[in-house]
Amino acid sequence: GAGVSQSPSNKVTEKGKDVELRCDPISGHTALYWYRQSLGQGLEFLIYFQGNSAPDKSGLPSDRFSAERTGGSVSTLTIQRTQQEDSAVYLCASSFGGTGNEQFFGPGTRLTVL
Amino acid sequence: QKEVEQDPGPLSVPEGAIVSLNCTYSNSAFQYFMWYRQYSRKGPELLMYTYSSGNKEDGRFTAQVDKSSKYISLFIRDSQPSDSATYLCAPMDTGRRALTFGSGTRLQVQP
C-alpha cells in the first residue's frame, strides 16, 4: 500500500477487556513505532521496533501494554484489562530504519474504554 | 517541566499573513527537529525537518533551529485557509529514535 494502515479505525470496549490494534507499515520500512495521543498527555512514544533487534519498550505505560512485530512487517499492540485512562488515539508510524529519520504516520485507531 | 514546550494556541490569522510557530526544548541530545501537521481526526503528516542548527526552506514553509537557545520555529508565508490545522514540533534524539512531541499549536487561517 501507499501508506501506513491501521485497523480498526475505531474500537469501543468495556473496562477490563483486552484489545488488539494492528499496524501495517509502508512496504520496505524496517522501523516501526507506536505512539499514543490523548487530550491530557499529547502525543507520546510507546514502543519502537527496528529489524530483528530487541524493541525499545521504554514508553510503555504499564505491563498491561505489549506489542509484537511478526516477520519484520505487521505489528500488533495489545492492551490487557483495559482501563478508562487507556482511551486515546493509538498511532503507528514507520521509517526506513537505521538512517531513515522521517517517520510516516498512519491514521490511528481511536480507542474508547467504557 | 516537559522536554518540549509549545504554545497550544489557538492562533487565528487572516489569509495571506505570515505565521510564526515556536517551541522550546530542554534535551541537548536532540539532533533532528521535525514539524508535523495534523488535520482533525487524521494522523500527523511530516512537513519538513532540519538537522542541528540552521534554516531550511520548502515552498511557503521555513524551519529554523537555534540549538544555543534551544528554540525551534516554523514560519508559514502567505498562509491559506487550507493551512488550518494543528502543528506539532517533534525533535528526535538519534540515539533513541523516538520523537518527543510538543503539545501542538492549533492554527486557523481566516479567508
Side-chain angles (χ1 to χ4, degrees):
Chain A
V4 177
S5 60
Q6 293 187 244
S7 62
S9 54
N10 283 283
K11 176 72 177 178
V12 179
T13 191
E14 292 178 349
K15 178 181 170 181
K17 302 274 190 182
D18 298 352
V19 295
E20 286 189 350
L21 312 179
R22 177 188 166 104
C23 172
D24 279 273
I26 293 172
S27 178
H29 281 190
T30 59
L32 186 147
Y33 312 76
W34 284 97
Y35 292 84
R36 176 170 72 173
Q37 188 169 31
S38 58
L39 276 174
Q41 301 298 321
L43 224 161
E44 310 170 280
F45 165 75
L46 295 177
I47 187 169
Y48 158 55
F49 295 90
Q50 169 55 46
N52 295 320
S53 302
D56 175 356
K57 303 180 184 179
S58 61
L60 294 179
S62 78
D63 58 8
R64 296 186 296 105
F65 288 73
S66 62
E68 62 177 22
R69 189 177 185 194
T70 52
S73 181
V74 171
S75 177
T76 302
L77 177 69
T78 301
I79 309 173
Q80 295 179 309
R81 304 181 302 282
T82 52
Q83 304 294 313
Q84 287 185 330
E85 61 263 28
D86 299 334
S87 296
V89 177
Y90 289 82
L91 292 155
C92 176
S94 70
S95 73
F96 275 115
T99 57
N101 300 303
E102 298 152 294
Q103 296 182 24
F104 297 91
F105 281 80
T109 293
R110 183 173 296 272
L111 175 67
T112 303
V113 182
L114 301 176
Chain B
Q1 184 190 2
K2 290 186 177 181
E3 278 190 290
V4 181
E5 298 279 358
Q6 186 174 6
D7 186 338
L11 182 61
S12 183
V13 301
E15 183 174 354
I18 296 174
V19 176
S20 172
L21 304 165
N22 309 293
C23 294
T24 58
Y25 65 93
S26 57
N27 187 344
S28 299
F30 290 147
Q31 291 290 336
Y32 287 87
F33 301 88
M34 277 67 171
W35 281 96
Y36 282 83
R37 177 174 63 192
Q38 187 173 27
Y39 293 110
S40 182
R41 293 194 169 254
K42 302 285 187 183
E45 168 196 11
L46 181 64
L47 272 177
M48 60 194 303
Y49 72 94
T50 54
Y51 172 72
S52 194
S53 283
N55 293 357
K56 185 174 183 179
E57 188 174 320
D58 185 359
R60 296 184 296 110
F61 298 87
T62 299
Q64 197 171 79
V65 176
D66 182 345
K67 290 194 74 181
S68 63
S69 58
K70 296 188 174 67
Y71 198 80
I72 312 165
S73 299
L74 178 71
F75 299 96
I76 307 173
R77 289 185 300 281
D78 188 25
S79 55
Q80 302 295 308
S82 59
D83 295 331
S84 298
T86 296
Y87 290 79
L88 300 133
C89 62
M92 181 172 71
D93 167 5
T94 52
R96 187 161 177 254
R97 304 208 69 79
L99 294 169
T100 302
F101 282 87
S103 55
T105 299
R106 191 152 59 90
L107 172 66
Q108 286 200 312
V109 181
Q110 307 292 342

